[in-house]
Amino acid sequence: MDDHLALKHTPLYDLHLSLGARMVPFAGYDMPVQYPAGVLKEHLHTRANAGLFDVSHMGQVLVRAKSGKVEDAALALESLVPVDILGLKEGRQRYGFFTNEDGGILDDLMITNRGDHLFVVVNAACKDADIAHMRAHLAESCTIEVLEDRALLALQGPRAEAVLGELWAGVSGMKFMDVREIPLLDTLCIVSRSGYSGEDGFEISVPADKAEALAKVLLDHPDCQPIGLGARDSLRLEAGLCLYGNDIDTTTSPVEGAIEWGIQKARRAGGDREGGFPGASRILAELANGTSRRRVGLKPEGKAPVRGHSKLFADAEGTIEVGEVTSGGFGPTAEGPVAMGYVRAHHANVGTQLFAEVRGKYLPVAVAALPFITPTYKR
């Protein structure tokens, strides 16, 4: 009981309880892991219709240059991430990651150019450390404002546009990674066309005191249902998307983690602003020469799921260890078990046969292309 008393609540906590959610501790918050429909039905509903997720536990931060120029805020933040932020156009969002001096990943995040400032969304578990990191390194040139009084909703699925379109018709003109400030129920919200399910959808930053009313209106739509963390995890796993702390962390570099697509040309060797971020020497060398290990998709044969931390071997006897599973479970849309993990580079080719250790047995798994589903982002 004391543990639950110590947990933080999002602005939608009472709504979750009223909807019959099963609550669990997650990143210091009491969060819904599933609703009465259950994880499987919630997952499939999101893939077919629209699901509403509470992601208010994530951190929302404004980075403003003291000069008033968003270009100066972009250049300042570029000192912490290997991402082209200066080239990010107003009203556009980009995926990025904080790196450390060893080239490891401190967190992954979303960065938006809001015209006169940057809007940054960071993971819940890393929120305090990320904010301290930005304040420690950017305070001379920028102000770091944490938005404590806002909730964050994710509306995901092929019917997301239709659901949100009933409140603001202009959403149909937004493309993947577009960000707009739009009125929803007479309240200005920051809406991005993005998400972490592999589906088309939106993330909606809304004042905390308006969040429940907005969520209820969205859930009143016949195509929209509440979705918990359980289905959020299986959706992102099928989409081949990393969960920080599982698939990427301070021991993995962006190239090892197969997220080097997030490093734009401007920050690479020969680019206009080559390097200049923590761990640049290692990361640029890995971009040029490759790495000794790599994150890959894994498709277990048979029906038994292979979970995180399962060891991977090159042989059925389990004598030649070549890697480890980082995320795994049942993929409802893939209609079978799916997983991701790290393997030695020469075992990373799609189709390579490996064996995962599960309760003393060595189950065959094949290296598979990611994602396991076809994303439906609106390009």
Side-chain angles (χ1 to χ4, degrees):
M1 179 63 82
D2 290 339
D3 287 347
H4 270 273
L5 290 176
L7 293 171
K8 297 176 188 171
H9 292 169
T10 75
L12 297 182
Y13 177 78
D14 291 337
L15 179 62
H16 298 315
L17 296 184
S18 73
L19 293 169
R22 181 158 75 82
M23 308 297 284
V24 297
F26 183 81
Y29 286 78
D30 210 0
M31 296 294 290
V33 69
Q34 66 179 78
Y35 297 87
V39 173
L40 178 69
K41 286 184 177 174
E42 291 172 29
H43 177 114
L44 294 172
H45 183 87
T46 305
R47 289 266 185 257
N49 294 288
L52 187 68
F53 304 74
D54 181 9
V55 287
S56 305
H57 55 319
M58 297 178 80
Q60 303 182 57
V61 184
L62 305 184
V63 180
R64 296 181 192 275
K66 291 178 180 176
S67 68
K69 297 178 181 175
V70 73
E71 294 83 2
D72 291 340
L75 288 170
L77 193 56
E78 281 191 4
S79 70
L80 301 181
V81 298
V83 179
D84 177 7
I85 306 174
L86 187 63
L88 187 59
K89 292 185 169 59
E90 183 175 348
R92 292 288 292 166
Q93 177 175 263
R94 182 163 279 169
Y95 175 78
F97 25 86
F98 291 126
T99 50
N100 63 21
E101 293 300 335
D102 298 324
I105 302 165
L106 294 172
D107 194 15
D108 59 343
L109 58 146
M110 300 300 288
I111 305 154
T112 300
N113 179 342
R114 295 272 296 121
D116 62 351
H117 66 275
L118 301 174
F119 177 49
V120 177
V121 178
V122 298
N123 284 308
C126 306
K127 179 163 57 174
D128 293 342
D130 288 347
I131 292 162
H133 184 59
M134 286 189 278
R135 285 186 167 143
H137 293 93
L138 307 181
E140 206 168 291
S141 60
C142 298
T143 59
I144 310 299
E145 180 188 349
V146 182
L147 301 181
E148 304 281 12
D149 58 345
R150 292 185 82 84
L152 193 64
L153 310 181
L155 179 66
Q156 299 286 293
R159 296 288 295 158
E161 182 184 291
V163 173
L164 193 57
E166 298 210 350
L167 298 183
W168 191 70
V171 296
S172 61
M174 292 176 69
K175 296 279 196 294
F176 184 54
M177 292 295 203
D178 278 350
V179 181
R180 301 281 181 270
E181 188 168 53
I182 62 177
L184 300 174
L185 304 184
D186 299 322
T187 301
L188 279 179
C189 299
I190 302 169
V191 176
S192 68
R193 191 153 201 162
S194 64
Y196 225 60
S197 65
E199 298 295 335
D200 182 25
F202 303 88
E203 292 198 344
I204 305 163
S205 173
V206 54
D209 60 348
K210 306 291 186 185
E212 185 173 321
L214 177 58
K216 283 180 171 176
V217 168
L218 294 171
L219 290 170
D220 278 343
H221 194 288
D223 291 339
C224 188
Q225 289 182 9
I227 312 294
L229 291 176
R232 182 172 168 82
D233 193 52
S234 57
L235 289 159
R236 68 93 195 164
L237 175 56
E238 284 187 339
L241 300 169
C242 294
L243 176 64
Y244 188 83
N246 283 45
D247 309 296
I248 50 173
D249 57 28
T250 54
T251 71
T252 56
S253 74
V255 185
E256 289 177 325
I259 53 173
E260 72 272 19
W261 51 265
I263 305 175
Q264 288 76 29
K265 188 177 173 184
R267 309 303 306 279
R268 296 186 178 216
D272 293 343
R273 296 181 310 289
E274 171 186 337
F277 50 85
S281 58
R282 174 189 174 183
I283 293 168
L284 293 178
E286 288 183 349
L287 284 169
N289 305 315
T291 60
S292 61
R293 63 177 185 149
R294 187 87 168 150
R295 179 177 67 94
V296 296
L298 298 162
K299 197 83 176 70
E301 294 178 19
K303 296 188 175 177
V306 175
R307 306 289 180 187
H309 305 299
S310 299
K311 301 289 185 200
L312 293 166
F313 297 87
D315 61 312
E317 293 71 44
T319 58
I320 307 166
E321 188 176 329
V322 296
E324 185 175 341
V325 176
T326 53
S327 289
F330 180 74
T333 311
E335 298 183 334
V338 291
M340 295 191 293
Y342 285 82
V343 299
R344 292 181 192 166
H346 51 280
H347 292 280
N349 291 332
V350 170
T352 301
Q353 177 79 66
L354 300 173
F355 298 86
E357 185 179 7
V358 179
R359 293 190 289 278
K361 295 181 179 175
Y362 298 94
L363 304 182
V365 301
V367 175
L370 292 172
F372 297 103
I373 51 105
T374 304
T376 60
Y377 310 128
K378 185 171 178 178
R379 300 291 184 180

